[in-house]
């Protein structure tokens, strides 16, 4: 019996993606009102979930640890100094051994092939906690936040403008947008745009008959036009530190500010999102800490996203309803 893994939002049908969002929201409401749903109580009791992180993390580590604990399980954090993920031992060996002892692996890796290899050889579900290509737990939290902010019924037809680096966080967000009927316009400088193969994958993830669009430009104002939500991420992802000077130069003019949003013609009442960690290059303090910003509810929603994903992929073994 092959376990089902969550490596990207592309692994989910639109109905499954919606179910993960609904479950995250309803568990959030119940637990915040003081009642832990029976669907979660003790569901990971006596079970260990390996959290294997090759890179640093605040939100993903804390949210997944807390999520496992909330279901009575034991989160076993394994940092890059603790285990041999891709160092001195093949991923095959690591995957076979760890999966023989735990109920699931949550892995933050460098190349996407690393988490894909772990999944290929694992006897238990693997959840991608960020790879070079995807960040599904972030996208679940982002859509919970979008639904809370705009109303679930009003999500279809919204427009997201991504202004910045075409990276892992964008790729899953774009897949999520197309699955949910949300237009996404991406502004990135030449040389930092969506790779052709990734673009194909994003476009292929739109359900049949979907009218949601992915558009690309090198001009931030063009992407921002008529958008409801402006989103960005760091210009220098983990592992790209040596390119810092070159990247800061390439992204000049891409900082999200009130002025840029106004010049671009964002919709009245536009909101701002960022997965964090944030640096001031990509968004100024006025927007980041201002009334349009959703960044802190978005970060909190990582917990509810992690609970929902663990419930779907580990407790319910990939049956997402
Ligand atoms: N957004 C996010 O994944 O943050 P961390 O890198 O702190 O986990
Ligand atoms: N794009 C960033 C996201 C961190 C959550 C990175 O890969 O470092």
């Amino acid at each position: 019996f092959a376990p089902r893994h969550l490596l990207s939002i592309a692994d989910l049908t639109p109905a499954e993606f919606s179910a993960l969002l609904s479950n995250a929201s309803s568990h959030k409401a119940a637990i915040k009102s003081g009642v832990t749903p029976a669907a979660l109580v003790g569901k990971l009791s006596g079970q260990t979930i390996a959290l294997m992180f090759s890179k640093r993390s605040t939100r993903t580590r804390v949210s997944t640890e807390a999520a496992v604990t909330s279901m009575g399980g034991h989160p076993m954090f394994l940092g890059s100094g603790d285990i041999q993920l891709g160092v001195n031992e093949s991923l095959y060996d690591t995957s076979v051994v760890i999966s023989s002892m735990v109920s699931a692996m949550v892995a933050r890796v460098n190349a996407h092939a690393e988490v894909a290899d772990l999944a290929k050889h694992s006897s238990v579900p693997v959840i991608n906690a960020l790879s070079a290509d995807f960040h599904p737990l972030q996208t679940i939290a982002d859509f919970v936040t979008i639904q809370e902010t705009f109303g679930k019924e009003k999500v279809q037809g919204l427009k997201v403008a991504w202004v910045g680096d075409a990276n892992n966080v964008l790729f899953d967000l774009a897949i999520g947008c197309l699955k949910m009927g949300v237009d996404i316009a991406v502004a990135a400088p030449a040389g930092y745009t969506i790779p052709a193969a990734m673009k194909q994958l994003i476009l292929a993830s739109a359900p049949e008959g979907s009218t949601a669009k992915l558009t690309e430009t090198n001009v931030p104002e063009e992407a921002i036009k008529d958008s409801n939500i402006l989103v960005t991420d760091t210009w220098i992802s983990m592992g790209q530190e040596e390119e810092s000077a070159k990247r800061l130069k390439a992204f000049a003019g891409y900082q999200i500010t009130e002025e840029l949003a106004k010049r671009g013609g964002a919709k009245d009442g536009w909101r701002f999102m960022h997965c964090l960690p944030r640096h001031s290059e990509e968004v100024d303090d006025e927007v980041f800490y201002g009334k349009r910003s959703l960044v802190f509810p978005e970060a909190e929603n990582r917990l509810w996203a992690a609970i929902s994903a663990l419930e779907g992929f580990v407790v319910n073994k990939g049956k997402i309803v």
Side-chain angles (χ1 to χ4, degrees), residues 89-123:
E89 181 169 68
S90 73
L91 283 161
Y92 175 90
D93 296 0
T94 305
S95 180
V96 171
V97 171
I98 296 186
S99 69
S100 73
M101 301 184 198
V102 303
S103 298
M105 295 189 268
V106 175
R108 172 167 285 199
V109 301
N110 291 291
H112 184 71
E114 294 173 28
V115 71
D117 262 9
L118 279 179
K120 190 165 160 201
H121 305 299
S122 171
S123 54

Side-chain angles (χ1 to χ4, degrees), residues 147 150-157:
Q147 288 186 339
F150 291 87
K152 206 170 161 177
E153 312 312 321
K154 299 208 175 119
V155 169
Q156 194 172 350

Side-chain angles (χ1 to χ4, degrees), residues 138-276:
Q138 184 67 49
T139 301
I140 297 167
D142 288 353
F143 266 91
V144 169
T145 312
I146 292 170
Q147 288 186 339
E148 283 173 347
T149 305
F150 291 87
K152 206 170 161 177
E153 312 312 321
K154 299 208 175 119
V155 169
Q156 194 172 350
L158 290 175
K159 178 181 174 188
V160 167
W162 176 279
V163 178
D165 189 23
N167 66 14
N168 42 12
V169 172
L170 166 67
F171 302 149
D172 256 338
L173 179 65
I175 292 168
C177 283
L178 296 192
K179 286 190 189 291
M180 299 302 280
V182 170
D183 288 338
I184 178 159
V186 178
Y192 299 92
T193 56
I194 308 174
M198 183 58 73
K199 192 170 174 185
Q200 283 312 311
L201 192 146
I202 296 168
L203 293 173
S205 68
E208 194 113 351
S210 163
T211 53
K213 292 187 298 293
L214 164 69
T215 53
E216 287 187 277
T217 171
N218 301 133
V219 182
E221 289 87 341
E222 270 177 34
I224 289 169
K225 179 97 187 107
D226 292 331
S227 61
N228 306 92
I229 309 164
L230 272 59
V231 193
T232 193
D233 183 14
T234 182
W235 297 339
I236 302 149
S237 282
M238 288 181 273
Q240 297 173 335
E241 291 78 5
E242 282 181 5
E243 300 170 30
S244 294
K246 199 175 116 206
R247 285 177 164 269
L248 289 175
K249 218 168 132 195
F251 286 93
Y254 278 72
Q255 188 194 44
I256 296 184
T257 60
E258 284 286 344
E259 211 272 316
L260 176 67
K262 196 165 172 202
R263 216 169 47 234
K267 284 246 188 302
D268 284 346
W270 64 271
R271 308 303 296 267
F272 174 74
M273 294 178 70
H274 189 311
C275 63
L276 315 182

Side-chain angles (χ1 to χ4, degrees), residues 16-35:
E16 288 174 329
F17 183 42
S18 292
L20 286 175
L21 303 179
S22 297
N23 294 340
S25 297
S26 64
H27 295 331
K28 176 178 182 178
I31 293 172
K32 286 200 155 196
S33 74
V35 186

Side-chain angles (χ1 to χ4, degrees), residues 53 56-61 108 129-130 135 138 169 238 274-277 302:
F53 280 56
R56 61 186 182 269
S57 166
T58 299
R59 282 141 290 269
T60 310
R61 177 185 177 168
R108 172 167 285 199
L130 181 81
H135 200 2
Q138 184 67 49
V169 172
M238 288 181 273
H274 189 311
C275 63
L276 315 182
R302 292 296 310 274

